[in-house]
Amino acid sequence: MTVETAAPDALLGALGRFTAVPEDIGRYDTDARTAAQALRAAPEQVAQLAAEGLPHVTDPERGPLFDYDDLMNVGMFCGTGQTVPELGLRFLMRFAASSRSSWYAPREWEIGVHPSRTAGGERAGAVTDPGVRLPEVTVRVPDLSAPGVELLSEHPFADPVRVGGYEATVRLTGADQTVRDPRIHEAWNEVVEGLASRRVTYQTVPEPLRADHHRAWELGIADCVVASRLLADRLRAAGLEATARRGYLLGLFGSDHAWCDVVEDGVHKSLDPVFAFVATVGDERGVAESPEFAAACFGSRFNRLLPCRTDSAEPLVYFDGEPAPYWAMVGVGARPRRSS
């Protein structure tokens, strides 16, 4: 079977539309073969990206090595509609086009978080060398104290982190609500306007730069973690109780996502500037435009977001105490609970 690849100039057209990872935090460990698979591209197209200036290092045996975040941004901005990041965003945002009531109704999910398996060599069918030491894997657990989260399985989550992974069944119930406080409106408008005006580019941001979210914003780039942390900072500066949250966006697979939680009149309300932005730009990102969903991102809680126990949207998976590499998310899965 022939696999369709990107048009010859499509990937090159993405260069210049995003900001490359700063050299001081670049992690150049993704080879051309992996890059070609993620971008649905021919090897010569990946070589051309390197020739045209996509940051990389050249290994005498492995050839050009790229930062995976840069490759994800090439995929997101190339416009082919078939790269891993384009397909992932489109699939995960499909629920935004469903009925409003479906965003909030109680929904039961079976989740499995097993990045220990990917660390152990199951990723892409790899076989781990018996002589290679495997990292210690720790994961953040669901926040059972968060509104709308109910644990249905018998699984203790006494500690904020767990070694290896876990399986659980949860019921998530959304809430259709909005925000009145003008201070929240002001902070929200500042962040969303930064994205909508293109003064700040929505793109993949590496974890070290997420941790320095003010630097990322000053560089003119943001993702869900950066935007949520910045929004929480501005809300707290205005005298409000707010925090950046991070958890899983559930579907047929799990993907981590971040949003902001603010307390108004004793009620916890969710603010999701990135969801709002993506739903506003619509087809530009291959996602159906939905003004109604974008408006719901200002206060409502969705039944596909499982918050984890974090203080400020910290990473969800660690290898040996350090944020896990991008492929750790392969070990996260979710599906609607089967009827008994």
Side-chain angles (χ1 to χ4, degrees), residues 42-110:
E44 56 268 24
Q45 291 176 284
V46 175
Q48 187 65 21
L49 284 172
E52 293 295 329
L54 185 66
H56 64 283
V57 298
T58 301
D59 183 273
E61 295 183 0
R62 301 176 64 195
L65 301 176
F66 304 90
D67 186 290
Y68 192 76
D69 297 291
D70 284 338
L71 294 171
M72 289 298 95
N73 283 321
V74 169
M76 184 61 72
F77 287 93
C78 71
T80 66
Q82 61 185 11
T83 64
V84 167
E86 290 174 294
L87 293 172
L89 179 63
R90 188 181 309 165
F91 181 84
L92 289 169
M93 289 297 293
R94 281 173 57 187
F95 82 99
S98 58
S99 66
R100 186 182 186 92
S101 61
S102 70
W103 304 336
Y104 311 120
R107 193 174 180 94
E108 297 179 1
W109 297 93
E110 296 175 347

Side-chain angles (χ1 to χ4, degrees), residues 264-338:
E264 182 181 49
D265 299 330
V267 177
H268 288 261
K269 299 182 178 181
S270 298
L271 306 172
D272 200 319
V274 162
F275 268 9
F277 167 72
V278 173
T280 298
V281 299
D283 288 341
E284 178 183 326
R285 297 275 177 168
V287 177
E289 183 177 344
S290 177
E292 184 180 29
F293 182 79
C297 293
F298 186 55
S300 294
R301 183 179 68 245
F302 300 121
N303 58 11
R304 287 176 178 262
L305 286 171
L306 174 65
C308 291
R309 293 176 64 177
T310 67
D311 295 321
S312 183
E314 294 90 354
L316 303 182
V317 180
Y318 294 83
F319 288 176
D320 287 336
E322 297 294 328
Y326 63 89
W327 44 261
M329 283 296 112
V330 174
V332 179
R335 64 184 179 186
R337 187 184 189 186
R338 297 173 178 173

Side-chain angles (χ1 to χ4, degrees), residues 29 45 56 71 191-192 207-208 213 224 226 268 295 314:
D29 58 3
Q45 291 176 284
H56 64 283
L71 294 171
V191 174
V192 174
E207 201 64 54
H213 56 283
C224 59
V226 171
H268 288 261
E314 294 90 354

Side-chain angles (χ1 to χ4, degrees), residues 14 70 159 162 176 188 192 201 205 261:
D70 284 338
D159 299 317
R162 190 176 186 89
D176 185 358
W188 169 266
V192 174
T201 300
V205 177
D261 178 280

Side-chain angles (χ1 to χ4, degrees), residues 87-266:
L87 293 172
L89 179 63
R90 188 181 309 165
F91 181 84
L92 289 169
M93 289 297 293
R94 281 173 57 187
F95 82 99
S98 58
S99 66
R100 186 182 186 92
S101 61
S102 70
W103 304 336
Y104 311 120
R107 193 174 180 94
E108 297 179 1
W109 297 93
E110 296 175 347
I111 59 174
V113 178
H114 295 292
S116 56
R117 296 176 181 172
T118 57
E122 293 185 22
R123 177 173 61 100
V127 178
T128 301
D129 185 333
V132 175
R133 174 192 169 276
L134 300 181
E136 180 184 68
V137 178
T138 54
V139 298
R140 294 188 181 274
V141 303
D143 185 357
L144 302 182
S145 67
V149 179
E150 180 183 358
L151 182 67
L152 301 181
S153 55
E154 297 182 2
H155 202 307
F157 291 117
D159 299 317
V161 296
R162 190 176 186 89
V163 175
Y166 60 85
E167 293 183 359
T169 302
V170 297
R171 178 185 292 120
L172 301 182
T173 303
D176 185 358
Q177 50 198 25
T178 189
V179 175
R180 299 184 314 277
D181 194 315
R183 295 173 295 174
I184 303 176
H185 278 264
E186 181 178 2
W188 169 266
N189 289 337
E190 287 178 357
V191 174
V192 174
E193 188 278 333
L195 296 170
S197 67
R198 305 301 194 273
R199 180 172 55 84
V200 177
T201 300
Y202 168 56
Q203 64 172 68
T204 300
V205 177
E207 201 64 54
L209 198 51
R210 285 171 161 176
D212 192 359
H213 56 283
H214 289 290
R215 179 188 178 190
W217 194 260
E218 290 169 0
L219 287 172
I221 60 176
D223 65 356
C224 59
V225 174
V226 171
S228 298
R229 283 178 167 169
L230 187 77
L231 180 56
D233 285 349
R234 295 188 177 184
L235 291 170
R236 287 193 296 267
L240 295 154
E241 182 182 347
T243 185
R245 303 301 307 265
R246 193 163 173 180
Y248 294 110
L249 172 58
L250 305 180
L252 291 182
F253 59 93
S255 173
D256 73 340
H257 184 60
W259 61 98
C260 182
D261 178 280
V262 65
V263 179
E264 182 181 49
D265 299 330

